[in-house]
Amino acid sequence: MNTAKFMVLLVSVSLCSSALAFDLTANEQAGKRLYREGVSSSDAQLQARVGASDISVPASVLPCASCHGNDGRGRAEGGVRPPNLDWQRLAQGQGAREANVRSYPAYTDRSLARAIQQGVDPAGNRLDPAMPRFELTMADQRNLTAYLKRLAEERDPGIEEGVLRLGTLLPASGPLAEVGLVVRAVLEDGLAQLNQQGGIHGRRLQLVVLDPGEDPASAEQALQQLLERERVFALISPLAPMLDLRLASLLAPQNVPLIGSTPRSGGSAQIFDPLPGLPTQLLSLAGHARAALGLAPGDLRVVYAGNEQAAAAEQVRERLLQQGWAPPTIEAFDGKAVEGQGIVFLGRAQAFAELATALQAAGRKPYLFAASSQVASAVARLPEQWSQRVFLAYPYVPEDWTEQGLATLAGLQQRQGLDPRQASLQVNTLCALRLLSEALKQIGRDASREQLIGALEGLHDVSTGLTPALGFGPGRRQGMAGAHVVAVALPGPRFTAVTPYRPVPDSP
């Protein structure tokens, strides 16, 4: 064998060995399931004892990962800090802690089993009472120990020595193709800017873009390709509305973070939307209706057009009830005029224009409230009688733009040849990039999906220069909690901000 062929073979063997290094054996896979789900390899229901009174609960209720995390690093919660389960650290011992001058000898397989089943460390010290004691068979204990020894090696997909791989779904044809091109241009430009600065923690950010096609089946196939073949670390600003009803459930099994718009099916623990959702924006309009227009609790009606809007409409109604309004049952627009002094509308621009026409024909002129993202394109076609009767919710307005933010947006538009009239779409995508990059910087080089979700959740008052400050929190997955209220003057149209952005309270 000549030298060239030998070198090719050597490199191939090296790459294969590297790829196989993270493959788990059958026992380790069983240990992983036990660690993450609390399920035995025999599918028997395992038990765990909790607290000083030894209350018995199913292990599936309190699997190891629920406190120590899928990555084993532990996250402080409720005053408890679960320790890092890195086996190399455990097997070397932890030295002495100044807080209690205890000695922490190295763990062995036997002492680890004792800690897991009896709550006692290698030195005989009782572990924190919050630590459950698991009743495991010998086989389950062996499997769990085998997996814990590999836990630190099992890196999440998309994380490599010099690359962090992100993915998105953007249509290349059909009615959303132009929008997809704009989002792609913003993402590629933003990542290029970050990479020119050295990437994040020495890793170059790589974007994988796939076309979701035009139906749910092709979109789901494209998503699975991103996760399984391309092995992306996280998703950013995907545009696949045909997946809206299933997106959260498709991402949940692998805990894949998504930074972008919230699907209609509702959010989930790993989906973060930089901007406020539709219900929150409409609540801002309701606040203006009460404070500035003097509408009474029973004056509002929630009207929707399209079956896909029904769930969001019901959510808006429930939120209005919590805020002290008394709207009747939500109403589907069927082409006829509807009752009410104020109509909160959810649906597409064409249906909004048709609603205005039907009301005009019936001689009625209520206040109309809607989100700009849904109906702004129809406003110019409305007759003059609707002047100062239409109020739109905008997450941000040009007055929010700082000099630096405006320079960022203008630079992007110049480099990519983007139309300034599509600034809203560009800003939305820039915000997603800003939040993602900030969270990645915080979690350090030893990144995991779970850490990214935790870092995103911990972001507060992030300045974008283009929107009010963004931030999330426990249970909060939308970066803003309100919207600006803008009045529409006709003919024109001319837009005037009448109520500034302020967070919508959760209760009256």
Side-chain angles (χ1 to χ4, degrees):
M1 181 181 296
N2 63 36
T3 302
K5 289 183 178 179
F6 177 78
M7 290 302 295
V8 170
L9 178 61
L10 184 61
V11 170
S12 299
V13 171
S14 175
L15 290 174
C16 289
S17 299
S18 176
L20 293 172
F22 299 106
D23 289 345
L24 300 178
T25 66
N27 287 346
E28 290 164 351
Q29 288 282 7
K32 178 177 181 177
R33 187 182 183 203
L34 176 54
Y35 177 83
R36 293 195 175 188
E37 304 174 32
V39 177
S40 168
S41 59
S42 64
D43 287 331
Q45 182 166 322
L46 302 175
Q47 296 295 311
R49 291 172 288 112
V50 183
S53 57
D54 275 353
I55 298 174
S56 184
V57 298
S60 57
V61 175
L62 291 172
C64 308
S66 66
C67 292
H68 295 278
N70 286 345
D71 55 11
R73 294 182 176 93
R75 286 179 59 191
E77 187 172 350
V80 177
R81 175 72 194 195
N84 188 329
L85 297 184
D86 182 352
W87 178 252
Q88 184 175 5
R89 172 179 169 273
L90 295 176
Q92 290 178 351
Q94 304 169 53
R97 291 182 185 167
E98 295 181 3
N100 53 21
V101 200
R102 280 185 179 179
S103 175
Y104 290 82
Y107 274 88
T108 63
D109 289 13
R110 179 172 294 183
S111 61
L112 178 65
R114 186 183 179 202
I116 291 171
Q117 299 185 38
Q118 300 177 27
V120 178
D121 75 7
N125 302 309
R126 301 295 299 183
L127 299 178
D128 192 296
M131 164 73 178
R133 281 82 66 196
F134 295 91
E135 299 172 4
L136 304 181
T137 66
M138 291 181 63
D140 285 327
Q141 181 63 59
R142 283 197 299 268
N143 292 341
L144 181 57
T145 300
Y147 178 65
L148 290 177
K149 291 181 178 181
R150 299 291 304 280
L151 182 58
E153 301 175 20
E154 196 181 26
R155 180 179 287 166
D156 281 333
I159 294 284
E160 298 174 7
E161 185 60 29
V163 173
L164 189 148
R165 197 159 41 254
L166 304 171
T168 192
L169 296 172
L170 299 173
S173 59
L176 294 176
E178 183 179 358
V179 176
L181 287 174
V182 173
V183 173
R184 179 168 188 163
V186 176
L187 291 176
E188 291 180 342
D189 184 89
L191 296 184
Q193 299 298 309
L194 286 169
N195 288 335
Q196 286 176 10
Q197 300 166 18
I200 295 180
H201 297 299
R203 288 192 177 97
R204 181 174 57 85
L205 301 178
Q206 182 184 82
L207 182 67
V208 180
V209 182
L210 294 184
D211 185 349
E214 298 182 1
D215 59 76
S218 64
E220 184 170 341
Q221 184 178 7
L223 177 62
Q224 293 303 327
Q225 184 176 340
L226 277 179
L227 301 182
E228 295 173 7
R229 194 175 81 183
E230 302 294 343
R231 293 176 59 79
V232 300
F233 179 65
L235 299 183
I236 181 165
S237 299
L239 188 61
M242 67 287 288
L243 278 184
D244 270 3
L245 297 179
R246 298 200 58 216
L247 188 57
S249 62
L250 291 171
L251 298 178
Q254 299 182 52
N255 203 33
V256 181
L258 185 157
I259 303 88
S261 59
T262 304
R264 289 196 307 270
S265 58
S268 69
Q270 71 266 21
I271 297 180
F272 295 81
D273 191 345
L275 301 180
L278 195 60
T280 299
Q281 294 186 51
L282 296 177
L283 281 180
S284 294
L285 294 169
H288 179 75
R290 171 183 287 151
L293 304 179
L295 268 63
D299 287 343
L300 284 185
R301 300 288 189 275
V302 180
V303 177
Y304 68 95
N307 292 334
E308 73 280 2
Q309 301 291 337
E314 183 58 38
Q315 186 180 353
V316 170
R317 178 179 176 273
E318 291 174 359
R319 295 283 301 274
L320 287 172
L321 288 169
Q322 295 170 6
Q323 297 294 328
W325 294 91
T329 304
I330 61 174
E331 185 174 346
F333 175 59
D334 60 0
K336 300 177 182 178
V338 296
E339 298 296 324
Q341 296 299 311
I343 297 173
V344 179
F345 177 83
L346 298 87
R348 295 185 178 181
Q350 181 60 36
F352 184 72
E354 292 170 359
L355 171 63
T357 299
L359 289 167
Q360 183 181 16
R364 301 198 58 248
K365 196 169 66 172
Y367 291 110
L368 301 180
F369 305 100
S372 61
S373 59
Q374 289 195 316
V375 308
S377 62
V379 170
R381 305 197 301 270
L382 298 181
E384 188 174 349
Q385 84 159 64
W386 293 109
S387 185
Q388 303 298 330
R389 307 295 291 184
V390 175
F391 295 88
L392 304 181
Y394 281 82
Y396 50 86
V397 294
E399 286 75 16
D400 292 321
W401 297 359
T402 65
E403 185 176 342
Q404 182 178 358
L406 188 56
T408 298
L409 183 60
L412 163 69
Q413 293 169 345
Q414 183 177 14
R415 287 190 299 270
Q416 298 295 323
L418 298 178
D419 189 341
R421 290 174 296 182
Q422 297 173 315
S424 176
L425 179 60
Q426 298 157 21
V427 170
N428 295 357
T429 312
L430 282 172
C431 287
L433 265 176
R434 174 79 171 90
L435 292 168
L436 174 61
S437 62
E438 185 65 26
L440 287 173
K441 290 173 184 176
Q442 289 191 14
I443 62 178
R445 184 169 174 78
D446 194 14
S448 71
R449 286 171 170 169
E450 189 168 19
Q451 283 182 308
L452 177 59
I453 290 171
L456 286 164
E457 185 178 84
L459 291 180
H460 301 289
D461 297 324
V462 176
S463 174
T464 67
L466 295 165
T467 66
L470 304 180
F472 302 107
R476 179 181 166 189
R477 292 298 185 265
Q478 292 174 335
M480 293 171 58
H484 294 271
V485 177
V486 173
V488 179
L490 297 164
R494 300 183 306 279
F495 301 90
T496 304
V498 292
T499 300
Y501 168 83
R502 61 173 62 96
V504 174
D506 293 329
S507 57

